[in-house]
Amino acid sequence: MLVPAMHGDILAQTSARDPEVRRQTLQTAIKLYSRFLSMCNQYGLLSQDAKAAAQVEGQQSLDQNTRRLQKVQRFKREREIKAELGAMQMKQMRMVQLQDEADLPHEQDEESEREVGLLHTELEVMNAIEQIHMLQQEVNLLEHAASIPPDQRQTQTARPPPPDVMQQLLGAAANLQTQQTQRQRLQAQVFRPTVALPTVSVEQQGAIELQKMQQAQQREATAAASKSQDQDSEEDSDAQVDKQRQMDDWNDDNPSGWGNSKLRPTA
């Protein structure tokens, strides 16, 4: 079911030098988005707001305030959907972890998978509605440029476009930037790796390990040198203590004046 929308995304991003080829490509993309919305409506996957937005996208008379309000509502709903998808993904990861810890086979939760599929489809619906509006604006600009006679295009290009066309141009540029950002964010979520990617190369990791090993060896050498110095200091202290004890013992055995005689006074 999502194939027409994805095909439309590819055509919308296809560039062409010839404005007529670009216009035809955009019209084909619009038809693909419309077919996708029609299929979703046929299967009852369009909400009332989405139906209303899809019906008025082709109406050029829709005022800017109403269109802006619808865009804000779609943006809020998009954030809600992404929050729900994130919570469901965390829940599924936790369930798989518990099954692995209990050495149980992985069981598929069909209800959760169905809900995830519906949420992704709703995101594609909002993207298709926005893309139809944006691409239709570009088609109008290309048709306006093609309506200018070839001999007048050089002079016409130097003049600013009419106010309504200028407004469409500014809106298309803003929508294009928004859609590109949203598409990149969705692609990052879809193609996000299931495991943590390395942040350094093998060579960088080897250099880090070598530096750690050298630092560890240096710490060990410093600790060994300090221990040896402490032992030498301790041995010197023990030698001094032994020497002092020997001197004390000699003094005890040879008290002062012990060798003097009364017959031969020392003085």
Side-chain angles (χ1 to χ4, degrees):
M1 181 181 294
L2 298 178
V3 172
M6 295 180 178
H7 191 186
D9 288 338
I10 295 175
L11 293 181
Q13 299 178 35
T14 302
S15 59
R17 289 181 174 273
D18 189 349
E20 179 61 21
V21 175
R22 173 64 176 172
R23 184 184 67 84
Q24 294 177 0
T25 302
L26 295 181
Q27 287 180 334
T28 303
I30 292 174
K31 291 180 181 179
L32 289 170
Y33 285 127
S34 299
R35 183 189 307 173
F36 168 69
L37 294 177
S38 177
M39 293 173 58
C40 291
N41 187 37
Q42 181 180 356
Y43 287 101
L45 299 178
L46 288 184
S47 62
Q48 294 298 327
D49 294 338
K51 288 181 180 179
Q55 291 173 357
V56 302
E57 279 303 327
Q59 302 177 8
Q60 299 298 326
S61 60
L62 188 65
D63 62 283
Q64 293 296 327
N65 292 332
T66 302
R67 192 179 298 278
R68 188 181 300 108
L69 179 60
Q70 292 178 350
K71 187 174 182 178
V72 170
Q73 292 176 347
R74 287 198 296 268
F75 177 73
K76 290 181 178 179
R77 179 53 185 160
E78 179 182 353
R79 289 196 304 179
E80 293 175 356
I81 292 176
K82 291 180 179 179
E84 293 179 16
L85 289 174
M88 295 180 67
Q89 183 180 10
M90 293 297 296
K91 180 180 178 181
Q92 185 177 8
M93 292 175 60
R94 179 58 179 167
M95 182 177 65
V96 171
Q97 182 180 0
L98 293 176
Q99 291 174 351
D100 290 339
E101 293 176 354
D103 197 15
L104 297 175
H106 293 174
E107 298 181 357
Q108 300 294 334
D109 189 349
E110 296 183 359
E111 184 63 27
S112 297
E113 291 184 356
R114 179 178 181 276
E115 187 175 354
V116 169
L118 292 176
L119 291 175
H120 279 296
T121 302
E122 188 174 353
L123 280 177
E124 288 296 334
V125 166
M126 291 187 291
N127 176 66
I129 293 174
E130 190 67 25
Q131 285 285 68
I132 289 175
H133 171 63
M134 181 182 65
L135 298 183
Q136 187 60 53
Q137 286 182 328
E138 187 174 350
V139 169
N140 294 339
L141 293 175
L142 294 173
E143 291 177 346
H144 173 76
S147 65
I148 302 175
D151 57 342
Q152 299 181 8
R153 291 180 183 177
Q154 186 64 28
T155 57
Q156 288 288 339
T157 53
R159 300 177 181 178
D164 57 340
V165 177
M166 188 64 184
Q167 184 67 24
Q168 292 181 358
L169 178 61
L170 294 176
N175 290 333
L176 178 60
Q177 184 177 4
T178 302
Q179 288 299 319
Q180 287 178 346
T181 303
Q182 294 176 354
R183 187 178 295 109
Q184 292 173 355
R185 186 166 56 249
L186 290 175
Q187 288 177 350
Q189 293 179 353
V190 172
F191 298 103
R192 181 173 54 190
T194 56
V195 296
L197 296 178
T199 57
V200 296
S201 64
V202 177
E203 293 78 4
Q204 292 174 337
Q205 184 63 30
I208 294 174
E209 295 296 334
L210 178 59
Q211 184 179 7
K212 290 182 178 179
M213 182 180 66
Q214 292 175 345
Q215 292 176 352
Q217 292 176 349
Q218 184 177 3
R219 288 194 298 268
E220 292 177 358
T222 303
S226 178
K227 183 177 181 180
S228 176
Q229 184 177 3
D230 293 341
Q231 290 178 349
D232 294 340
S233 177
E234 184 177 356
E235 290 176 357
D236 293 340
S237 178
D238 293 340
Q240 292 178 358
V241 171
D242 292 339
K243 185 177 180 180
Q244 184 65 38
R245 287 177 178 175
Q246 292 175 1
M247 182 62 68
D248 293 340
D249 293 339
W250 188 87
N251 290 332
D252 292 339
D253 295 337
N254 302 277
S256 178
W258 177 81
N260 294 335
S261 173
K262 295 181 180 182
L263 300 177
R264 294 183 297 175
T266 56

